[in-house]
Amino acid sequence: MKKIFDVIIIGSGISGLTAGILLKESGLDIVVLTKTENIEESNTQYAQGGIIAQRDEDSPEKLEKDIINAGDNFNNLTAVKEFSENAPKLVFDFLINKIGINFSKDQNNKIDYTEEAAHSVRRIVHYSDHTGEMIEESLVKYAKKINLNILTSSTSIDLITSDQHSSDIQELYKEREVMGVYVLNNKTKDITAFFAHNIILATGGLGNLYQYTTNPPSATGDGLSMAYKAGADIINSEFIQFHPTSLFHKDIKRFLISESLRGEGARLIDHKGKEFMSKYHPLKDLAPRDIVARAIYQEIYKTGVEYMYLDLYRYYNGKEPIEKRFSKIYNTCLKGGIDITKSPIPIVPAAHFFCGGVKIDLSGRTSVKNLYAIGEISCSGLHGANRLASVSLLEGLYWAKKTCEDIISKKNQIKKERFKNILDWKVPKKTVEFDPILIDQDWRVIKLTMWNYAGIIRTKSGLSRAKADLSYYAHRIYKFYKEAKLDKSIIELRNAITNSQIIINAALHNEKTIGCHYLINDE
Ligand SMILES: Cc1cc2nc3c(=O)[nH]c(=O)nc-3n(C[C@H](O)[C@H](O)[C@H](O)COP(=O)(O)OP(=O)(O)OC[C@H]3O[C@@H](n4cnc5c(N)ncnc54)[C@H](O)[C@@H]3O)c2cc1C
């Protein structure tokens, strides 16, 4: 009989590692799986700005108001209230006092609280301009110290459910339960069934469905399609947040140019050097994120170019030299041949954050028994139709804690005999090795279709066209997936097409412009 874990956690970003640490320290037998070779590779690793934390000058009511304003009143009010009351102190209790993170300090050696758009109070703590890297590396260091069982290069393929994967017909007539996950070892290409009494999806976002994104290549939304196949409820998938400014460069992809540059004077300009934001909003370059993203997108399409510019060097009004204040951005751009102290930065908007996802309750429970979801892939309704900046790292932390409390108190145990009936992964009799060019071509189609039709500005006719185009591709990709010798890239492609269809259907279903779902009804 195979080993049965108490909990399998899929994902090693802030949410997965926090859950792993808390469960391990409670004495449970767990494993954390991650599909990348490097434990740290995740959206968490690339977070720049910071994380909301408790502050005397702040109050739960103020935070609640800011989250709901940003979310266009589409939020789950109970989730926002609970989060605002209980989450911010976790930064001190967990990240600072337990994990030992030293966030940046001000001149008086006190924690430096910074400001971001749409926050009524300075409540964001940060580590210079690479907060995520510091958080992720500190969590990994702590996890190693307590010998947390982490398996890298292990790609989860499908969740094992009692009714879909058991040879016992009687399971069909009982409530569906998740009992494990089929996992590909990326190196040996073996596929193994991992069993557990509880599964936590912590698989992060899906920016890679879009031509331009700030997310790393691993962000393909695998948890969303796995949960969908397992029959879990999915909500708010039309709400994809776009960041206005990512670097446009032939070699450096996915690099975020933080909002704080505009906070310190930088202005958006076109190819003739003319600023254009005054045409779009009285706050000009400091208008809300979605308005700035749409303005840039419209300027790009009106003028037939591929990008706009962000001019920092002529408008910078900060005190420190640019090289010091924006060290990471300065050094990254310089590597690409752009000296931001002497020339404007080519930028393009990019898919940044998934506000929807696998529906969860206040304890991280999905609609399928024993299955939990936390972090960016989950949707409690906290963000509503749009996300307030710097809420998401804390969301991962908070729901990891809530989920662990639920798992620890419930002590769920599935009868051992039931695992004996779980079928092994079915390998097709004849497998085919596909040319990577085919996979690349399908990816390009998905990314471009999503960018043009389900992106920053959507039309009903564009979404309908995308639906038709992607259903043609879906048919081909699923067929190809069934015959292929599986590897990580094919699994990601299968998930990408499923997720694109989920987003497009949700966008077609929601006929109103709200939050980051901007729809022109042209039919
Ligand atoms: C450039 C950038 C800047 C950001 N800045 C901020 C900020 O300043 N403040 C803020 O609050 N938020 C910010 N965000 C958002 C925030 O970083 C994410 O929402 C958050 O880190 C998500 O954490 P997570 O644990 O849910 O997922 P992730 O950190 O993305 O981790 C997902 C994990 O799941 C694994 N995984 C995925 N699929 C599989 C599979 N099939 N099998 C096995 N493993 C799998 C991945 O390998 C990875 O380990 C930013 C995001 C980006 C990209």
Side-chain angles (χ1 to χ4, degrees):
M1 180 68 198
K2 267 204 196 124
K3 181 178 174 61
I4 305 164
F5 290 98
D6 289 320
V7 190
I8 296 174
I9 300 165
I10 310 173
S12 60
I14 187 168
S15 58
L17 288 178
T18 301
I21 290 167
L22 295 174
L23 290 171
K24 163 94 185 176
E25 292 192 329
S26 79
L28 293 184
D29 185 9
I30 62 160
V31 61
V32 178
L33 305 172
T34 178
K35 65 178 175 179
T36 53
E37 207 173 334
N38 172 2
I39 302 177
E40 282 101 358
E41 185 63 0
S42 58
N43 274 0
T44 301
Q45 173 82 354
Y46 296 91
Q48 292 183 356
I51 179 168
I52 290 176
Q54 193 171 36
R55 192 174 188 198
D56 291 346
E57 292 84 336
D58 199 4
S59 72
E61 293 73 30
K62 284 184 194 161
L63 177 57
E64 228 178 299
K65 202 163 160 232
D66 291 348
I67 294 175
I68 294 169
N69 278 343
D72 222 350
N73 283 295
F74 202 79
N75 316 62
N76 173 350
L77 299 180
T78 321
V80 179
K81 191 169 188 327
E82 286 236 352
F83 176 85
S84 304
E85 280 170 3
N86 302 310
K89 61 174 175 287
L90 282 184
V91 172
F92 290 91
D93 295 351
F94 187 77
L95 292 180
I96 297 176
N97 297 335
K98 184 178 177 69
I99 303 298
I101 299 177
N102 260 321
F103 287 104
S104 292
K105 302 271 182 0
D106 61 16
Q107 293 106 325
N108 303 321
N109 208 27
K110 296 237 164 71
I111 291 212
D112 182 40
Y113 285 90
T114 183
E115 196 172 353
E116 283 206 43
H119 284 272
S120 56
V121 178
R122 287 177 87 96
R123 55 164 78 99
I124 296 155
V125 301
H126 63 105
Y127 185 79
S128 185
D129 63 352
H130 41 283
T131 312
E133 198 176 299
M134 176 49 118
I135 292 179
E136 182 69 17
E137 283 170 6
S138 307
L139 286 171
V140 170
K141 199 164 144 208
Y142 189 93
K144 286 186 173 159
K145 198 171 80 191
I146 61 164
N147 288 323
L148 184 62
N149 185 13
I150 305 178
L151 297 184
T152 56
S153 300
S154 301
T155 307
S156 298
I157 312 172
D158 281 334
L159 293 166
I160 297 173
T161 60
S162 50
D163 56 340
Q164 292 170 330
H165 302 100
S166 175
S167 58
D168 177 4
I169 305 294
Q170 294 314 304
E171 291 282 10
L172 256 184
Y173 304 106
K174 296 180 192 150
E175 183 185 357
R176 173 178 296 160
E177 285 181 56
V178 167
M179 299 173 69
V181 58
Y182 293 111
V183 180
L184 169 85
N185 179 320
N186 299 349
K187 291 185 173 151
T188 62
K189 304 283 188 262
D190 291 334
I191 297 170
T192 316
F194 277 59
F195 296 147
H197 301 291
N198 305 279
I199 306 276
I200 304 178
L201 291 172
T203 52
L206 44 69
N208 277 281
L209 305 187
Y210 288 86
Q211 187 184 10
Y212 298 110
T213 179
T214 59
N215 295 184
S218 54
T220 49
D222 299 0
L224 189 73
S225 50
M226 280 195 273
Y228 176 76
K229 283 183 84 184
D233 291 345
I234 308 253
I235 55 166
N236 291 1
S237 300
E238 66 273 40
F239 301 123
I240 311 282
Q241 185 179 65
F242 291 85
H243 197 285
T245 52
S246 74
L247 180 66
F248 181 90
H249 192 275
K250 76 178 178 22
D251 300 320
I252 306 168
K253 303 290 175 204
R254 310 156 189 282
F255 186 67
L256 183 79
I257 305 291
S258 154
E259 242 150 20
S260 47
L261 272 76
R262 279 178 282 127
E264 304 220 6
R267 289 203 203 159
L268 289 156
I269 55 168
D270 63 18
H271 286 239
K272 292 185 179 140
K274 260 181 71 185
E275 73 86 26
F276 54 83
M277 274 312 297
S278 51
K279 282 191 278 182
Y280 293 92
H281 198 275
L283 287 173
K284 300 181 190 168
D285 298 89
L286 294 177
R289 212 177 243 197
D290 53 332
I291 292 172
V292 181
R294 275 199 299 277
I296 299 170
Y297 182 83
Q298 279 168 304
E299 289 293 317
I300 286 175
Y301 278 86
K302 263 198 293 196
T303 52
V305 293
E306 286 187 277
Y307 55 89
M308 287 286 133
Y309 286 107
L310 184 67
D311 191 334
L312 178 70
Y313 81 104
R314 281 191 300 164
Y315 299 106
Y316 181 60
N317 55 25
K319 292 191 187 81
E320 287 176 315
I322 289 178
E323 306 84 299
K324 187 152 179 254
R325 173 64 184 88
F326 298 112
S327 60
K328 185 149 188 161
I329 295 172
Y330 171 76
N331 286 317
T332 307
C333 289
L334 202 61
K335 273 187 210 143
I338 305 158
D339 182 346
I340 67 170
T341 64
K342 295 196 174 93
S343 51
I345 312 167
I347 50 90
V348 70
H352 187 54
F353 183 80
F354 184 38
C355 305
V358 185
K359 186 179 177 185
I360 56 163
D361 66 10
L362 296 178
S363 297
R365 289 181 288 226
T366 71
S367 60
V368 178
K369 203 171 165 195
N370 315 333
L371 180 66
Y372 294 80
I374 54 178
E376 194 168 336
I377 203 57
S378 68
C379 183
S380 61
L382 174 69
H383 306 293
N386 208 348
R387 177 192 69 134
L388 179 69
S390 289
V391 172
S392 34
L393 288 168
L394 189 59
E395 175 191 29
L397 195 62
Y398 181 66
W399 260 274
K401 178 172 177 282
K402 295 292 290 178
T403 292
C404 294
E405 285 168 0
D406 196 67
I407 290 175
I408 293 165
S409 70
K410 259 187 16 204
K411 300 189 176 70
N412 180 46
Q413 288 287 313
I414 301 172
K415 283 206 174 105
K416 269 194 184 146
E417 301 76 65
R418 291 176 61 202
F419 288 100
K420 289 187 185 145
N421 300 322
I422 296 298
L423 303 166
D424 283 337
W425 179 261
K426 233 191 345 286
V427 183
K429 282 204 184 87
K430 244 176 77 187
T431 55
V432 185
E433 293 220 30
F434 286 96
D435 186 341
I437 290 181
L438 295 181
I439 298 171
D440 184 57
Q441 165 65 15
D442 287 348
W443 261 114
R444 282 171 195 262
V445 171
I446 293 173
K447 281 168 175 276
L448 212 58
T449 306
M450 293 301 284
W451 182 254
N452 287 327
Y453 298 137
I456 297 173
I457 298 178
R458 301 157 175 186
T459 61
K460 275 198 97 177
S461 59
L463 286 167
S464 306
R465 187 165 171 181
K467 184 174 172 148
D469 290 356
L470 290 182
S471 97
Y472 167 75
Y473 271 86
H475 178 73
R476 255 196 19 207
I477 291 170
Y478 292 140
K479 183 167 179 295
F480 158 100
Y481 163 78
K482 283 201 177 118
E483 297 163 352
K485 187 168 175 17
L486 280 195
D487 69 14
K488 179 162 139 304
S489 66
I490 294 173
I491 295 163
E492 289 177 333
L493 178 63
R494 177 207 68 171
N495 293 335
I497 191 79
T498 306
N499 294 336
S500 302
Q501 290 182 301
I502 292 173
I503 293 169
I504 286 184
N505 285 334
L508 273 168
H509 187 73
N510 186 349
E511 300 198 338
K512 262 191 1 211
T513 283
I514 176 160
C516 48
H517 172 57
Y518 188 86
L519 182 73
I520 298 171
N521 193 339
D522 60 347
E523 278 180 1

